[in-house]
Amino acid sequence: MFRMISDIGTDAMKDEAKLARMNTLQSDIEGIYAKATVSFSDGQTLALEPGLTQLMASSRNYTKLQEAWIGWRDNTGKLMRDKYADFVTLSNEGVSSLGYHDTGEYWRSWYESPTFEPDLQKLLEELKPLYSNLHTYVREKLMDLYGRDKFPTSGQIPAHLLGNMWAQQWNNIYDLVIPYPDKTSVDVTPELKNQSYTPLRMFRTAEEFFKSLGLLPMPDRFWNKSIIVKPTDRKMVCHASAEDFYNQKDFRIKMCTDINMEDLVTIHHEMGHIQYFMQYKDQPVPFRDGANPGFHEAVGDTLALSVATPKHLQTIGLLNSVENDEGSDINYLLSMALEKIAFLPFGYLIDQWRWSVFSGETPKDKFNDKWWELRCKYQGVSPPVERTSTDFDPGAKYHIPSNTPYIRYFVSFVVQFQFHKALCEAAGQTGPLHKCDIYRSKEAGTKLGDMLRLGSSKPWPYAMEALTGQPNMSAKALMDYFAPLTAWLEKQNAGKQVGWQDACSNQRHAP
Ligand SMILES: O=C(CCC(O)(O)[C@H](Cc1ccccc1)NC(=O)c1ccccc1)N[C@@H](Cc1ccccc1)C(=O)O
Ligand SMILES: [Zn+2]
């Protein structure tokens, strides 16, 4: 507890003037991101949410997508590179008085593991074959649609074609890659709109799932004080967040809810943070935190693994028919892979980049080269147009200007399948993991609540063992979940060129 109280990070900066300068730089950088919009050649001006997000998700126009992708980066990252470089220097000075070499070392200390970095590398390597097979399947489909001449000969996928501003999740191009179009489609966005779902009803639906497990309901103050739709009377950073006021009573979500399946999942994600806050609210303040940051990110997503199943969606009336055949099963597993498997290299590389900047390995003039080196190598995506060292593409992703660590999401995407497996066993679910729905299981809820109530009072392996029966992060549960899809993808990709070269080439395929 004493170590946690004294672990104040960059606020340990001795020099008041430098501390003030660092905070000014941070707020300038966040201001650039918050105000950014893109004005198109047709006169339209869009903000990130909902305009650009919807465009990147639904447009199939190569040039329009490219204009949005470049415009967003010109109006965010490009404007903050020099300030970010100055911020890095001051941030490192701030933590040096705590004995850390740099900010990256301070951030990794939260996982309390001398083998944290090699453990992460090993997890990514175990998951690489599954990612490569998904990447190859999606690339072939996109080449058919956009033409081979748009794709580099080195095998990457142009980053603006994957349904997301950062290519971090590919669920929005499900309609372009669906394996069995005549089978059950799991995209319930149209149904949400047909049933006139409101943001509030989406939040109530999520709350009902938590309550069905015997977990805590959202308090009245939550409903009165949260902001769940984009305000019209003021500017607000729309990126979703959950706030703990550390008074055992006030817990809120801020989010610009759109009526779609992606936001229904995000609502569960944010409500997972609130549930954790409430479960550990009676711990001493230094222990009112996740067992590690990845655990905090995994709570809501774990429950959403049950909510997203066709069986559950039918139970809550968002899906009228559910077919139990191989085709529907593959359709569902592919939609989940576009959300979960696609994310893994992205979740890994953001802080690989940032740690290399904090450590001094990557100087300012190499910021963008290093970023694309990692994007080309790990994620297998390429820039749609040539990038220069005056660009600063990492700054186009919220977590860089907001200085929010990111490896927590990679950890979450691995451990949430371990949590899901443990809760399914507690709920007495025996079938395949991807069909498990823990809805209404008080046994599962009790097991999860018991772990959440620990907060950060015990090292995270202790909490992991309390929930799953063993203390380690492991990719096994995730691989088990997707096993039926792995076999199917390998068959689909037979005879195809699987994977990509580490470096992106400027050369493209002949038409
Ligand atoms: O950023 C988020 C969700 C926002 C959040 O809930 O993780 C939020 C980020 C944040 C915002 C402001 C200050 C600090 C962090 N985190 C929280 O609200 C939070 C996290 C831990 C404890 C308390 C609150 N998700 C990531 C990754 C992700 C996760 C899950 C599904 C899709 C994508 C992303 O969108 O790239
Ligand atoms: Zn989160």
Side-chain angles (χ1 to χ4, degrees):
M1 198 185 292
F2 179 73
R3 175 169 51 77
M4 286 175 174
I5 292 169
S6 55
D7 184 1
I8 60 173
T10 52
D11 291 340
M13 172 84 85
K14 293 281 177 269
D15 181 319
E16 285 304 319
K18 285 185 175 180
L19 182 61
R21 171 103 180 98
M22 181 180 71
N23 289 328
T24 302
L25 284 167
Q26 173 65 39
S27 67
D28 290 354
I29 290 165
E30 288 193 89
I32 292 167
Y33 191 87
K35 292 189 188 63
T37 59
V38 174
S39 297
F40 291 84
S41 46
D42 65 5
Q44 195 186 25
T45 295
L46 296 176
L48 181 65
E49 293 187 42
L52 293 171
T53 303
Q54 286 173 350
L55 189 154
M56 295 306 289
S58 55
S59 171
R60 303 298 181 236
N61 177 315
Y62 185 91
T63 311
K64 184 80 174 174
L65 288 165
Q66 181 174 291
E67 198 176 0
W69 190 91
I70 295 169
W72 179 249
R73 281 153 183 78
D74 285 348
N75 295 347
T76 54
K78 199 173 184 108
L79 304 177
M80 48 175 98
R81 190 196 69 157
D82 295 347
K83 284 178 184 285
Y84 189 78
D86 294 346
F87 168 78
V88 165
T89 306
L90 290 165
S91 179
N92 285 341
E93 270 181 52
V95 299
S96 63
S97 64
L98 295 176
Y100 295 109
H101 172 267
D102 62 69
T103 307
E105 190 191 359
Y106 166 57
W107 288 2
R108 291 189 298 272
S109 71
W110 300 328
Y111 294 86
E112 300 175 299
S113 160
T115 60
F116 184 51
E117 288 190 75
D119 292 347
L120 295 169
Q121 200 173 354
K122 181 167 164 282
L123 288 167
L124 190 74
E125 271 153 26
E126 287 172 2
L127 295 162
K128 177 119 170 105
L130 182 44
Y131 180 78
S132 294
N133 275 317
L134 178 69
H135 180 280
T136 300
Y137 174 76
V138 168
R139 183 184 58 202
E140 295 301 313
K141 292 278 185 178
L142 292 178
M143 280 175 135
D144 294 344
L145 177 67
Y146 290 107
R148 300 176 55 78
D149 60 317
K150 299 288 192 309
F151 290 69
T153 52
S154 47
Q156 284 81 4
I157 301 173
H160 64 311
L161 303 180
L162 288 155
N164 175 280
M165 182 58 88
W166 309 280
Q168 69 181 67
Q169 290 176 296
W170 306 348
N171 42 295
N172 292 312
I173 58 162
Y174 175 64
D175 61 306
L176 300 181
V177 301
I178 184 168
Y180 303 97
D182 58 330
K183 292 288 175 191
T184 315
S185 161
V186 283
D187 178 15
V188 293
T189 297
E191 199 46 38
L192 284 166
K193 293 178 169 148
N194 286 346
Q195 298 185 24
S196 318
Y197 262 73
T198 61
L200 184 57
R201 188 175 167 199
M202 289 165 74
F203 272 76
R204 285 289 183 192
T205 301
E207 182 197 33
E208 201 278 326
F209 192 94
F210 282 85
K211 290 196 302 191
S212 81
L213 304 179
L215 292 171
L216 299 167
M218 298 295 119
D220 289 348
R221 301 161 81 113
F222 168 86
W223 297 109
N224 297 334
K225 296 282 190 177
S226 291
I227 299 177
I228 66 171
V229 290
K230 184 170 187 169
T232 50
D233 61 341
R234 68 186 120 154
K235 283 264 180 194
M236 182 180 90
V237 175
C238 271
H239 196 89
S241 71
E243 309 297 335
D244 183 356
F245 288 75
Y246 287 96
N247 60 10
Q248 302 177 310
K249 291 197 296 286
D250 276 310
F251 313 98
R252 301 176 198 170
I253 286 173
K254 155 185 77 70
M255 174 175 173
C256 304
T257 309
D258 220 352
I259 309 300
N260 60 46
M261 181 66 183
E262 195 170 84
D263 274 15
L264 183 62
V265 172
T266 300
I267 290 167
H268 286 83
H269 177 97
E270 296 307 325
M271 209 168 267
H273 287 312
I274 303 289
Q275 187 65 218
Y276 218 158
F277 297 155
M278 296 192 295
Q279 291 288 347
Y280 59 52
K281 69 176 175 49
D282 301 319
Q283 286 282 358
V285 171
F287 291 158
R288 293 189 202 166
D289 205 350
N292 73 37
F295 275 49
H296 228 299
E297 300 306 331
V299 179
D301 286 14
T302 300
L303 271 54
L305 288 173
S306 289
V307 173
T309 58
K311 182 174 67 176
H312 186 81
L313 293 172
Q314 185 183 43
T315 305
I316 62 174
L318 284 172
L319 208 56
N320 41 37
S321 72
V322 174
E323 293 149 292
N324 263 321
D325 56 58
E326 210 242 356
S328 304
D329 223 20
I330 293 297
N331 278 355
Y332 175 62
L333 277 167
L334 190 86
S335 77
M336 290 306 288
L338 293 174
E339 187 187 325
K340 302 291 183 181
I341 302 296
F343 181 81
L344 295 169
F346 183 79
Y348 179 81
L349 71 84
I350 298 253
D351 280 350
Q352 294 301 321
W353 176 85
R354 209 159 16 178
W355 294 342
S356 81
V357 167
F358 282 133
S359 72
E361 174 200 329
T362 304
K364 174 162 73 168
D365 63 314
K366 291 278 182 264
F367 279 175
N368 221 44
D369 293 347
K370 180 71 176 176
W371 173 255
W372 284 106
E373 179 194 309
L374 296 170
R375 288 267 270 179
C376 294
K377 177 181 178 195
Y378 288 112
Q379 211 180 347
V381 302
S382 53
V385 293
E386 185 76 21
R387 308 310 284 161
T388 71
S389 61
T390 59
D391 290 310
F392 181 54
D393 295 332
K397 175 62 190 171
Y398 171 81
H399 297 68
I400 301 294
S402 71
N403 201 40
T404 304
Y406 209 83
I407 199 69
R408 56 184 59 178
Y409 301 109
F410 178 79
V411 169
S412 162
F413 274 54
V414 170
V415 304
Q416 65 187 245
F417 287 90
Q418 295 178 261
F419 293 179
H420 183 55
K421 188 172 185 325
L423 295 181
C424 291
E425 282 158 14
Q429 297 262 326
T430 50
L433 194 51
H434 70 278
K435 287 180 177 287
C436 161
D437 174 11
I438 63 171
Y439 191 44
R440 298 190 178 125
S441 165
K442 299 292 183 284
E443 296 80 2
T446 302
K447 202 158 178 58
L448 180 59
D450 288 351
M451 188 277 277
L452 298 179
R453 259 190 304 289
L454 293 170
S456 58
S457 64
K458 298 277 189 196
W460 68 262
Y462 179 97
M464 175 65 88
E465 182 145 27
L467 183 57
T468 70
Q470 62 77 45
N472 304 307
M473 277 193 291
S474 161
K476 190 178 177 311
L478 190 156
M479 312 266 278
D480 290 350
Y481 180 101
F482 286 104
L485 182 71
T486 308
W488 185 85
L489 283 171
E490 281 163 356
K491 256 200 316 272
Q492 287 295 314
N493 292 337
K496 298 274 192 323
Q497 171 71 29
V498 177
W500 59 91
Q501 292 160 22
D502 279 1
C504 287
S505 66
N506 295 336
Q507 199 134 27
R508 291 193 172 162
H509 287 289

